[in-house]
Amino acid sequence: MSDVAIVGGGVIGLACAFELARRGSSVTVLEREEPGFGASTVAAGMLTPSFEVELTPQSLVELQLDSLRRYPQFVRDIEGAGGRSCGYRDEGSLWVSRHRDDELELDHTLKIQQQRGLPARRLTGREVRALEPYVSPRAVGGLLVESDHQVDSRKLVPALRAACEAIGVDVRTGTGVATVERAAGAMELTCQHGGVTSPFHADQVLLAAGVWLEEGLVTPLPKIGMRPIKGQIVHLQGQRLVRHVIRNSDVYLVPRDGGRLLIGATEEEQGFDMNPTAGGTLDLLRFGFEVLPGIYDLDIAEIDVGLRPTFHDHMPVLGATTTDGIYMASGHYRGGVLLAAATAHWMAEIMLTGQVPSEIEPFSFQRFAAENTQQEAAS
């Protein structure tokens, strides 16, 4: 038995496990596959809250910025505990414009960023190429956000696991959870491992199962509409072409160590399909080539697919649920890696103190109950 059982060993589940354990809780992570399966290790790892600021609710922008501020210490703590690198880099992001419409969009984006206190600097096409010589000569301008950083998600997840295990977290892989219910004053989970079904007990349960939150997992909670958004990403290998994350409205290109370059990412409503497609790959390579023609000569190392967990409002659920003892940290959509540091901090606060900070109130599970009440009243 543990103080806390965490269902799901992705970046959110492991980050919460690490924070809870170092605050004194005994924690067991129950992961149906391997840590990071589904979305975490496929993510590009961009810590960039700024570029979609106009379409993002202010409460989520503030949470993203809070997490970005926490990230340097978050990384130091993980690397210090487990001895493994998270692949943290701080060169910033560069949005590249290709024509007048893009330029107008960047001007508008810059204005919004300034209104919300987000640092950014407009560049001419010449200044863009001075920073990144391999960017297309057709680039007419850019927007540089030096406060945007990144981690390598394929390093972050194993680094988190190592850190968790180093401070006593029990990480169980290949362990699916079929049911969660309250029994005899504690939470009882029905676990399946290697064809064997057995119970597991904990004082509290944290649901961090990503897209599998409502897929094959039976709990006392009402359904709140978790769904997967498929994302394809292409890994190229060869000469290093850029230092910054390069973005426009169609694509992003993320440099990694060892000459790897990630091009992402598609967004597709395809259920739980995790097969890469020719069309998705074609789009990513075409859009990437328009920005960075030098990718033509790189090798295709891998085509990867992940499933992003989201609700209808694209906002995460953080905190207590309608069942005593069950908590939730899920629905982070495209921001799981970015929001990991803040999610871990605030979930530990909520679960250990019983208090809900004002910063987290907009992400309450209860907002779905309020929506259902309004819909019933309208009908």
Side-chain angles (χ1 to χ4, degrees), residues 19 22-23 47 62-78 88 149 337-347 349 357 359-360:
E19 186 64 25
R22 69 183 189 146
R23 295 194 190 195
L47 309 179
E62 293 300 327
L63 187 65
Q64 291 172 341
L65 291 172
D66 174 43
S67 202
L68 183 63
R69 288 189 292 267
R70 295 181 186 278
Y71 237 97
Q73 187 61 52
F74 178 63
V75 167
R76 285 193 292 270
D77 291 341
I78 294 167
Y88 183 74
H149 299 162
V337 173
L338 169 59
L339 291 172
T343 296
H345 171 80
W346 293 118
M347 288 305 303
E349 288 287 308
E359 297 91 336
I360 304 303

Short mmCIF file of all heavy atoms in Angstrom, two decimals, residues 19 22-23 47 62-78 88 149 337-347 349 357 359-360:
data_model
loop_
_atom_site.label_atom_id
_atom_site.label_comp_id
_atom_site.label_asym_id
_atom_site.label_seq_id
_atom_site.Cartn_x
_atom_site.Cartn_y
_atom_site.Cartn_z
N GLU A 19 7.49 15.01 -7.32
CA GLU A 19 7.21 16.11 -6.38
C GLU A 19 6.57 15.60 -5.10
O GLU A 19 6.93 16.03 -3.98
CB GLU A 19 6.32 17.15 -7.04
CG GLU A 19 6.08 18.41 -6.23
CD GLU A 19 7.36 19.21 -5.99
OE1 GLU A 19 8.31 19.09 -6.80
OE2 GLU A 19 7.39 19.95 -4.99
N ARG A 22 9.25 13.66 -2.96
CA ARG A 22 10.26 14.46 -2.27
C ARG A 22 9.66 15.33 -1.18
O ARG A 22 10.37 15.93 -0.40
CB ARG A 22 11.08 15.29 -3.26
CG ARG A 22 10.38 16.40 -3.96
CD ARG A 22 11.35 17.03 -4.93
NE ARG A 22 10.83 18.25 -5.51
CZ ARG A 22 11.59 19.29 -5.81
NH1 ARG A 22 12.88 19.26 -5.58
NH2 ARG A 22 11.06 20.37 -6.36
N ARG A 23 8.31 15.37 -1.14
CA ARG A 23 7.64 16.04 -0.02
C ARG A 23 7.22 15.03 1.06
O ARG A 23 6.53 15.39 2.00
CB ARG A 23 6.42 16.81 -0.51
CG ARG A 23 6.74 17.96 -1.44
CD ARG A 23 5.55 18.86 -1.62
NE ARG A 23 5.74 19.84 -2.67
CZ ARG A 23 4.97 20.92 -2.83
NH1 ARG A 23 3.95 21.13 -1.99
NH2 ARG A 23 5.19 21.78 -3.81
N LEU A 47 9.20 24.47 -24.89
CA LEU A 47 8.69 25.22 -23.74
C LEU A 47 8.37 26.63 -24.23
O LEU A 47 9.08 27.60 -23.96
CB LEU A 47 9.73 25.23 -22.62
CG LEU A 47 10.29 23.86 -22.24
CD1 LEU A 47 11.34 23.99 -21.15
CD2 LEU A 47 9.17 22.91 -21.80
N GLU A 62 -1.17 32.01 -18.03
CA GLU A 62 -0.50 32.24 -16.74
C GLU A 62 0.08 30.94 -16.20
O GLU A 62 1.18 30.92 -15.63
CB GLU A 62 -1.48 32.84 -15.73
CG GLU A 62 -1.94 34.24 -16.07
CD GLU A 62 -0.79 35.23 -16.17
OE1 GLU A 62 0.21 35.08 -15.42
OE2 GLU A 62 -0.87 36.16 -16.99
N LEU A 63 -0.64 29.83 -16.36
CA LEU A 63 -0.12 28.54 -15.90
C LEU A 63 1.11 28.14 -16.72
O LEU A 63 2.09 27.60 -16.18
CB LEU A 63 -1.21 27.47 -16.00
CG LEU A 63 -0.85 26.10 -15.41
CD1 LEU A 63 -0.65 26.19 -13.90
CD2 LEU A 63 -1.92 25.06 -15.75
N GLN A 64 1.07 28.38 -18.03
CA GLN A 64 2.21 28.08 -18.88
C GLN A 64 3.43 28.90 -18.46
O GLN A 64 4.55 28.37 -18.36
CB GLN A 64 1.87 28.37 -20.34
CG GLN A 64 0.84 27.42 -20.94
CD GLN A 64 0.39 27.87 -22.31
OE1 GLN A 64 0.54 29.03 -22.70
NE2 GLN A 64 -0.19 26.95 -23.06
N LEU A 65 3.23 30.19 -18.21
CA LEU A 65 4.34 31.05 -17.80
C LEU A 65 4.87 30.65 -16.42
O LEU A 65 6.08 30.68 -16.18
CB LEU A 65 3.88 32.51 -17.79
CG LEU A 65 3.58 33.12 -19.16
CD1 LEU A 65 2.97 34.50 -19.01
CD2 LEU A 65 4.85 33.19 -20.01
N ASP A 66 3.97 30.28 -15.54
CA ASP A 66 4.37 29.78 -14.22
C ASP A 66 5.26 28.55 -14.37
O ASP A 66 6.31 28.43 -13.73
CB ASP A 66 3.12 29.47 -13.40
CG ASP A 66 3.45 28.82 -12.06
OD1 ASP A 66 4.40 29.27 -11.39
OD2 ASP A 66 2.76 27.85 -11.69
N SER A 67 4.87 27.64 -15.25
CA SER A 67 5.64 26.42 -15.45
C SER A 67 6.98 26.72 -16.10
O SER A 67 8.01 26.13 -15.73
CB SER A 67 4.84 25.44 -16.31
OG SER A 67 5.30 24.11 -16.13
N LEU A 68 6.99 27.64 -17.06
CA LEU A 68 8.24 28.01 -17.71
C LEU A 68 9.23 28.59 -16.70
O LEU A 68 10.42 28.27 -16.74
CB LEU A 68 7.97 29.03 -18.82
CG LEU A 68 9.18 29.47 -19.65
CD1 LEU A 68 9.78 28.30 -20.41
CD2 LEU A 68 8.79 30.59 -20.61
N ARG A 69 8.73 29.40 -15.77
CA ARG A 69 9.60 29.97 -14.74
C ARG A 69 10.16 28.89 -13.81
O ARG A 69 11.27 28.99 -13.30
CB ARG A 69 8.84 31.03 -13.93
CG ARG A 69 8.57 32.32 -14.68
CD ARG A 69 8.01 33.38 -13.75
NE ARG A 69 6.66 33.06 -13.30
CZ ARG A 69 5.55 33.47 -13.88
NH1 ARG A 69 5.63 34.24 -14.98
NH2 ARG A 69 4.37 33.15 -13.41
N ARG A 70 9.37 27.87 -13.57
CA ARG A 70 9.80 26.79 -12.68
C ARG A 70 10.77 25.81 -13.35
O ARG A 70 11.46 25.05 -12.66
CB ARG A 70 8.58 26.01 -12.18
CG ARG A 70 7.64 26.82 -11.30
CD ARG A 70 6.46 25.97 -10.83
NE ARG A 70 5.49 26.78 -10.12
CZ ARG A 70 5.59 27.13 -8.85
NH1 ARG A 70 6.61 26.70 -8.13
NH2 ARG A 70 4.67 27.89 -8.28
N TYR A 71 10.82 25.82 -14.67
CA TYR A 71 11.53 24.76 -15.38
C TYR A 71 13.02 24.65 -15.09
O TYR A 71 13.54 23.53 -14.90
CB TYR A 71 11.29 24.85 -16.89
CG TYR A 71 10.70 23.58 -17.44
CD1 TYR A 71 9.34 23.45 -17.62
CD2 TYR A 71 11.51 22.48 -17.73
CE1 TYR A 71 8.78 22.27 -18.09
CE2 TYR A 71 10.97 21.30 -18.20
CZ TYR A 71 9.60 21.20 -18.38
OH TYR A 71 9.06 20.03 -18.83
N PRO A 72 13.78 25.74 -15.02
CA PRO A 72 15.21 25.57 -14.75
C PRO A 72 15.48 24.83 -13.44
O PRO A 72 16.32 23.92 -13.40
CB PRO A 72 15.73 27.02 -14.70
CG PRO A 72 14.79 27.77 -15.61
CD PRO A 72 13.44 27.15 -15.36
N GLN A 73 14.74 25.18 -12.35
CA GLN A 73 14.93 24.49 -11.09
C GLN A 73 14.39 23.07 -11.17
O GLN A 73 14.98 22.13 -10.60
CB GLN A 73 14.24 25.24 -9.95
CG GLN A 73 14.53 24.67 -8.57
CD GLN A 73 16.01 24.71 -8.23
OE1 GLN A 73 16.65 25.76 -8.34
NE2 GLN A 73 16.58 23.58 -7.81
N PHE A 74 13.28 22.90 -11.86
CA PHE A 74 12.68 21.57 -12.08
C PHE A 74 13.71 20.63 -12.71
O PHE A 74 13.92 19.50 -12.25
CB PHE A 74 11.46 21.75 -12.98
CG PHE A 74 10.72 20.49 -13.35
CD1 PHE A 74 10.11 19.70 -12.39
CD2 PHE A 74 10.59 20.13 -14.69
CE1 PHE A 74 9.40 18.56 -12.75
CE2 PHE A 74 9.88 19.00 -15.06
CZ PHE A 74 9.29 18.21 -14.08
N VAL A 75 14.39 21.12 -13.75
CA VAL A 75 15.40 20.31 -14.44
C VAL A 75 16.58 20.03 -13.52
O VAL A 75 17.10 18.90 -13.46
CB VAL A 75 15.85 21.02 -15.72
CG1 VAL A 75 17.13 20.39 -16.28
CG2 VAL A 75 14.75 20.98 -16.77
N ARG A 76 17.03 21.05 -12.79
CA ARG A 76 18.17 20.84 -11.87
C ARG A 76 17.83 19.79 -10.82
O ARG A 76 18.68 18.94 -10.49
CB ARG A 76 18.55 22.17 -11.20
CG ARG A 76 19.30 23.13 -12.11
CD ARG A 76 19.91 24.27 -11.33
NE ARG A 76 18.90 25.16 -10.78
CZ ARG A 76 18.42 26.22 -11.41
NH1 ARG A 76 18.86 26.52 -12.64
NH2 ARG A 76 17.51 27.00 -10.85
N ASP A 77 16.61 19.84 -10.31
CA ASP A 77 16.22 18.87 -9.29
C ASP A 77 16.17 17.44 -9.85
O ASP A 77 16.62 16.49 -9.20
CB ASP A 77 14.84 19.23 -8.72
CG ASP A 77 14.87 20.50 -7.88
OD1 ASP A 77 15.96 20.89 -7.44
OD2 ASP A 77 13.79 21.12 -7.71
N ILE A 78 15.63 17.30 -11.04
CA ILE A 78 15.54 15.98 -11.67
C ILE A 78 16.92 15.42 -11.97
O ILE A 78 17.25 14.27 -11.64
CB ILE A 78 14.71 16.05 -12.97
CG1 ILE A 78 13.25 16.40 -12.66
CG2 ILE A 78 14.78 14.74 -13.74
CD1 ILE A 78 12.46 16.81 -13.87
N TYR A 88 17.93 19.97 -21.68
CA TYR A 88 17.38 21.33 -21.58
C TYR A 88 18.23 22.30 -22.40
O TYR A 88 19.45 22.30 -22.30
CB TYR A 88 17.35 21.76 -20.12
CG TYR A 88 16.76 23.11 -19.85
CD1 TYR A 88 15.38 23.32 -19.92
CD2 TYR A 88 17.56 24.20 -19.52
CE1 TYR A 88 14.83 24.56 -19.65
CE2 TYR A 88 17.02 25.44 -19.25
CZ TYR A 88 15.65 25.61 -19.32
OH TYR A 88 15.10 26.85 -19.06
N HIS A 149 12.21 28.06 -24.36
CA HIS A 149 13.26 27.06 -24.22
C HIS A 149 12.74 25.71 -24.69
O HIS A 149 11.63 25.61 -25.22
CB HIS A 149 13.74 26.99 -22.76
CG HIS A 149 14.31 28.28 -22.27
ND1 HIS A 149 14.48 28.57 -20.93
CD2 HIS A 149 14.75 29.39 -22.93
CE1 HIS A 149 15.00 29.78 -20.79
NE2 HIS A 149 15.16 30.29 -21.99
N VAL A 337 4.46 18.59 -21.72
CA VAL A 337 5.86 18.80 -21.32
C VAL A 337 6.01 20.19 -20.71
O VAL A 337 6.61 20.35 -19.64
CB VAL A 337 6.80 18.60 -22.52
CG1 VAL A 337 8.23 18.98 -22.15
CG2 VAL A 337 6.76 17.15 -23.00
N LEU A 338 5.49 21.20 -21.37
CA LEU A 338 5.59 22.57 -20.85
C LEU A 338 4.96 22.69 -19.47
O LEU A 338 5.53 23.31 -18.57
CB LEU A 338 4.90 23.54 -21.81
CG LEU A 338 4.68 24.97 -21.31
CD1 LEU A 338 6.00 25.64 -20.94
CD2 LEU A 338 3.93 25.80 -22.35
N LEU A 339 3.80 22.09 -19.26
CA LEU A 339 3.06 22.27 -18.02
C LEU A 339 3.48 21.31 -16.91
O LEU A 339 2.94 21.37 -15.80
CB LEU A 339 1.56 22.11 -18.28
CG LEU A 339 0.91 23.21 -19.13
CD1 LEU A 339 -0.52 22.84 -19.48
CD2 LEU A 339 0.95 24.54 -18.39
N ALA A 340 4.44 20.43 -17.18
CA ALA A 340 4.80 19.40 -16.19
C ALA A 340 5.29 20.01 -14.88
O ALA A 340 4.92 19.55 -13.80
CB ALA A 340 5.86 18.47 -16.78
N ALA A 341 6.12 21.03 -14.96
CA ALA A 341 6.70 21.60 -13.74
C ALA A 341 5.63 22.22 -12.86
O ALA A 341 5.59 21.98 -11.64
CB ALA A 341 7.76 22.64 -14.09
N ALA A 342 4.74 23.02 -13.44
CA ALA A 342 3.68 23.65 -12.66
C ALA A 342 2.66 22.63 -12.19
O ALA A 342 2.17 22.70 -11.05
CB ALA A 342 2.99 24.74 -13.47
N THR A 343 2.32 21.67 -13.04
CA THR A 343 1.35 20.64 -12.66
C THR A 343 1.84 19.87 -11.44
O THR A 343 1.08 19.64 -10.49
CB THR A 343 1.09 19.67 -13.82
OG1 THR A 343 0.49 20.39 -14.91
CG2 THR A 343 0.16 18.55 -13.40
N ALA A 344 3.10 19.47 -11.45
CA ALA A 344 3.65 18.72 -10.32
C ALA A 344 3.59 19.54 -9.04
O ALA A 344 3.19 19.04 -7.98
CB ALA A 344 5.08 18.30 -10.62
N HIS A 345 3.97 20.80 -9.13
CA HIS A 345 3.97 21.66 -7.94
C HIS A 345 2.57 21.82 -7.37
O HIS A 345 2.35 21.61 -6.17
CB HIS A 345 4.54 23.03 -8.30
CG HIS A 345 4.39 24.05 -7.20
ND1 HIS A 345 5.24 24.10 -6.13
CD2 HIS A 345 3.46 25.03 -7.01
CE1 HIS A 345 4.86 25.07 -5.32
NE2 HIS A 345 3.78 25.65 -5.82
N TRP A 346 1.61 22.18 -8.23
CA TRP A 346 0.27 22.49 -7.73
C TRP A 346 -0.50 21.24 -7.32
O TRP A 346 -1.28 21.28 -6.36
CB TRP A 346 -0.50 23.29 -8.77
CG TRP A 346 0.06 24.66 -9.00
CD1 TRP A 346 0.59 25.17 -10.15
CD2 TRP A 346 0.19 25.71 -8.02
NE1 TRP A 346 1.04 26.44 -9.97
CE2 TRP A 346 0.80 26.81 -8.67
CE3 TRP A 346 -0.14 25.83 -6.68
CZ2 TRP A 346 1.08 28.00 -8.01
CZ3 TRP A 346 0.13 27.02 -6.02
CH2 TRP A 346 0.73 28.08 -6.69
N MET A 347 -0.28 20.12 -8.00
CA MET A 347 -0.96 18.89 -7.58
C MET A 347 -0.46 18.45 -6.21
O MET A 347 -1.25 17.98 -5.38
CB MET A 347 -0.76 17.79 -8.61
CG MET A 347 -1.53 17.98 -9.91
SD MET A 347 -3.32 18.19 -9.69
CE MET A 347 -3.75 16.71 -8.79
N GLU A 349 0.61 20.43 -3.89
CA GLU A 349 -0.01 21.37 -2.95
C GLU A 349 -1.45 20.94 -2.62
O GLU A 349 -1.86 20.90 -1.47
CB GLU A 349 -0.01 22.77 -3.55
CG GLU A 349 1.33 23.44 -3.60
CD GLU A 349 1.81 23.89 -2.23
OE1 GLU A 349 1.05 24.58 -1.53
OE2 GLU A 349 2.94 23.52 -1.86
N PRO A 357 -5.36 26.39 -4.74
CA PRO A 357 -4.89 27.75 -5.01
C PRO A 357 -5.73 28.42 -6.09
O PRO A 357 -6.26 27.75 -6.99
CB PRO A 357 -3.44 27.54 -5.47
CG PRO A 357 -3.08 26.17 -5.00
CD PRO A 357 -4.33 25.38 -5.02
N GLU A 359 -4.83 30.01 -8.59
CA GLU A 359 -4.26 29.80 -9.92
C GLU A 359 -4.82 28.56 -10.60
O GLU A 359 -4.80 28.45 -11.83
CB GLU A 359 -2.74 29.69 -9.84
CG GLU A 359 -2.03 30.93 -9.34
CD GLU A 359 -1.82 30.92 -7.84
OE1 GLU A 359 -2.58 30.23 -7.13
OE2 GLU A 359 -0.89 31.62 -7.39
N ILE A 360 -5.31 27.61 -9.80
CA ILE A 360 -5.72 26.32 -10.33
C ILE A 360 -7.24 26.21 -10.46
O ILE A 360 -7.75 25.29 -11.11
CB ILE A 360 -5.18 25.18 -9.42
CG1 ILE A 360 -3.66 25.31 -9.30
CG2 ILE A 360 -5.50 23.80 -9.98
CD1 ILE A 360 -2.93 25.29 -10.64
#
